[in-house]
Amino acid sequence: MNHTLAVGIHDLSFATSHYQMNHSELARKYGVDLDKYRIGIGQSSMSVTAADEDIVTMAAEAAKPIVDRHGAADIRTVLLATETGVDQAKSAGVYVHSLLGLPSSARVVELKQACYGATAALQFAAALVHREPSQRVLVIATDIAKYELGSPGEATQGAAAAAMLVSADPAILRIESPSGLFAADIMDFWRPNYRSTALVDGKTSITAYLQAVEGAWKDYVEQGGRPAAEFSAFCYHQPFTKMASKAHRHLAECSNLDGAAHEILGAVHNTTIYNRSIGNSYTASLYLGLASLLDHSRDLADQHIALFSYGSGSVAEFFGATVVPGYGAQLRTAAHRRAIERRTPIDYAHYRALHERTIPVDGGDYELPEEGSGPYRLAAVSGHKRIYEPRMPRR
Ligand code: COA
């Protein structure tokens, strides 16, 4: 393996859902002080998928601009991470590969470990590119966070996909080694196969997350990583954005990072702007945080950024990356803002109807109503098969 070769994120793009609901609707419905959502957990609205959107359509929408810009010829691997799988056998990545018209000479696979899966995919992609630097790997993180109505997790729901092109001589971010790793068998959040909504012990998940910050940081130090003071920004997985400041405060204690409380909040603020309005997108959340940081910060060229990935259950990874000079030309800031702003607001009644709607599991044939606005749609389920197609322009 060539250790001097720079490998990392060459392009980064995200997509989210057709609908959004403001937390003012939830606050009104449940009689909760809106500040609990806005300040207490750090969320202002949530992305809600339309009937003909799912993890595949969002994934393809996120990756399409990358394929349009760079072409598909060098992409020989597609790694799709999700915890909202649509099939127990077939990778959702194969549908995406087909919708995007990628070459048939490709390996395509789905990865799962709660919200951590995309970081595993990113690290595996980096290793593949180290082995064959002429190849590019398409990494996609795509999820819909769905909790029971009236449960504490409900206010943290969301939906999005992030796509990254991993290559040698990347234009945005060089991924560094070592990584700090942490794994522990804990039931803080899980979704048995027979459920469409996740089960979460919220308080346990916060404690488990903070233990993982500490464990991964300790390993990072033991592996010879950078001192915390060398990082100019810290990007954390965000099940809700307030978690990023909780995590950073804990890391500051573990790493003896000096700094007043306002500096700690400032260090993570730019990573939370998109997630505050989109909600939790599980595997994609950390990479939406990264997009938010890059899109909202003054010049970060040559700066070191820390990334912390946490997947309940649990597996975590802390790693560093360096921003490549000239990265600004590769960013998709305007498209990202558009994806958030173009969502159609819905009220609680509409949200509830969408939340309760599921595709029947009786094996029958069903057509999905034409509802979303992205370039791809789930058109039908027929003969136990999901039928995806490009969305026809509306007349
Ligand atoms: N104004 C400002 N802040 C307020 C408030 C108000 N009116 N009312 C409450 N708050 C604060 C609380 O003090 C608390 O802050 P703290 O965490 O800093 O102590 C925060 O809002 C949340 O209040 P809490 O009573 O703990 O909320 P909750 O019982 O509804 O649960 C979560 C919150 C985060 C545990 C819940 O949303 C959850 O389970 N989320 C899912 C977590 C998850 O996805 N984990 C898996 C991946 S890591």
Side-chain angles (χ1 to χ4, degrees):
M1 194 182 277
N2 180 353
H3 285 282
T4 57
L5 183 74
V7 172
I9 300 173
H10 190 56
D11 200 352
L12 169 63
S13 156
F14 76 76
T16 184
S17 63
H18 177 65
Y19 293 123
Q20 64 107 355
M21 184 177 74
N22 286 323
H23 277 70
S24 52
E25 282 293 301
L26 267 193
R28 190 175 54 76
K29 170 69 189 170
Y30 294 129
V32 168
D33 182 355
L34 184 55
D35 281 350
K36 173 176 175 181
Y37 299 140
R38 287 203 302 218
I39 300 166
I41 60 170
Q43 294 304 132
S44 62
S45 63
M46 61 173 79
S47 283
V48 180
T49 46
D52 58 353
E53 289 179 320
D54 71 359
I55 56 153
V56 170
T57 63
M58 288 193 301
E61 182 174 354
K64 183 179 185 303
I66 291 182
V67 176
D68 288 348
R69 182 185 276 175
H70 305 279
D74 301 331
I75 299 175
R76 287 174 58 82
T77 303
V78 179
L79 302 177
L80 184 144
T82 188
E83 53 178 303
T84 321
V86 295
D87 195 290
Q88 291 283 20
K90 178 168 173 146
S91 163
V94 175
Y95 293 116
V96 177
H97 173 272
S98 164
L99 287 170
L100 295 174
L102 299 181
S104 57
S105 47
R107 58 168 81 83
V108 183
V109 72
E110 183 172 310
L111 297 92
K112 177 176 67 187
Q113 174 33 53
C115 306
Y116 169 73
T119 299
L122 183 63
Q123 296 292 355
F124 298 165
L128 280 170
V129 173
H130 268 291
R131 199 176 74 174
E132 282 180 67
S134 62
Q135 284 194 30
R136 290 172 166 188
V137 179
L138 184 59
V139 170
I140 307 175
T142 179
D143 269 305
I144 299 167
K146 192 170 173 186
Y147 298 91
E148 268 183 27
L149 294 169
S151 71
E154 185 181 9
T156 69
Q157 294 175 126
M164 295 175 271
L165 191 63
V166 177
S167 76
D169 291 326
I172 297 181
L173 214 60
R174 291 194 294 270
I175 294 170
E176 295 174 350
S177 150
S179 280
L181 304 174
F182 181 80
D185 183 1
I186 184 162
M187 297 304 282
D188 58 330
F189 168 105
W190 67 107
R191 183 168 68 83
N193 286 344
Y194 50 83
R195 288 181 63 101
S196 64
T197 52
L199 294 161
V200 59
D201 179 339
K203 306 291 181 210
T204 303
S205 86
I206 294 172
T207 313
Y209 183 123
L210 295 178
Q211 275 169 358
V213 167
E214 197 167 335
W217 171 256
K218 194 163 164 273
D219 186 52
Y220 180 73
V221 171
E222 281 170 14
Q223 299 297 319
R226 293 179 184 283
E230 285 188 14
F231 293 110
S232 54
F234 292 81
C235 190
Y236 295 89
H237 166 56
Q238 295 159 25
F240 47 97
T241 68
K242 175 89 167 286
M243 193 65 223
S245 30
K246 284 181 192 285
H248 194 57
R249 198 168 288 124
H250 195 62
L251 183 87
E253 280 166 23
C254 301
S255 64
N256 299 319
L257 190 65
D258 291 334
H262 70 273
E263 287 172 2
I264 288 177
L265 297 182
V268 299
H269 175 265
N270 284 351
T271 70
T272 61
I273 295 165
Y274 292 147
N275 283 327
R276 203 180 156 75
S277 147
I278 285 175
N280 195 357
S281 55
Y282 293 158
T283 52
S285 155
L286 173 62
Y287 299 97
L288 262 61
L290 175 62
S292 181
L293 173 70
L294 296 169
D295 287 348
H296 295 97
S297 304
R298 279 201 301 271
D299 194 15
L300 289 169
D302 289 321
Q303 303 285 304
H304 306 304
I305 291 177
L307 292 107
F308 175 74
S309 180
Y310 175 75
S312 289
S314 68
V315 177
E317 182 160 347
F318 183 100
F319 61 106
T322 301
V323 182
V324 178
Y327 72 100
Q330 194 82 315
L331 297 184
R332 301 175 176 280
T333 313
H336 290 159
R337 290 188 180 149
R338 246 190 337 269
I340 289 175
E341 283 160 12
R342 74 152 201 228
R343 294 172 302 166
T344 304
I346 52 174
D347 62 12
Y348 179 83
H350 191 169
Y351 150 77
R352 187 171 178 135
L354 287 165
H355 193 283
E356 286 171 345
R357 183 167 55 194
T358 49
I359 299 172
V361 290
D362 59 3
D365 291 355
Y366 296 95
E367 291 200 356
L368 280 305
E370 177 96 37
E371 222 178 75
S373 46
Y376 305 103
R377 63 183 299 263
L378 173 61
V381 177
S382 174
H384 297 283
K385 297 171 191 149
R386 292 170 94 88
I387 315 291
Y388 293 97
E389 60 186 31
R391 189 182 298 282
M392 295 301 153
R394 294 218 178 110
R395 267 180 272 156

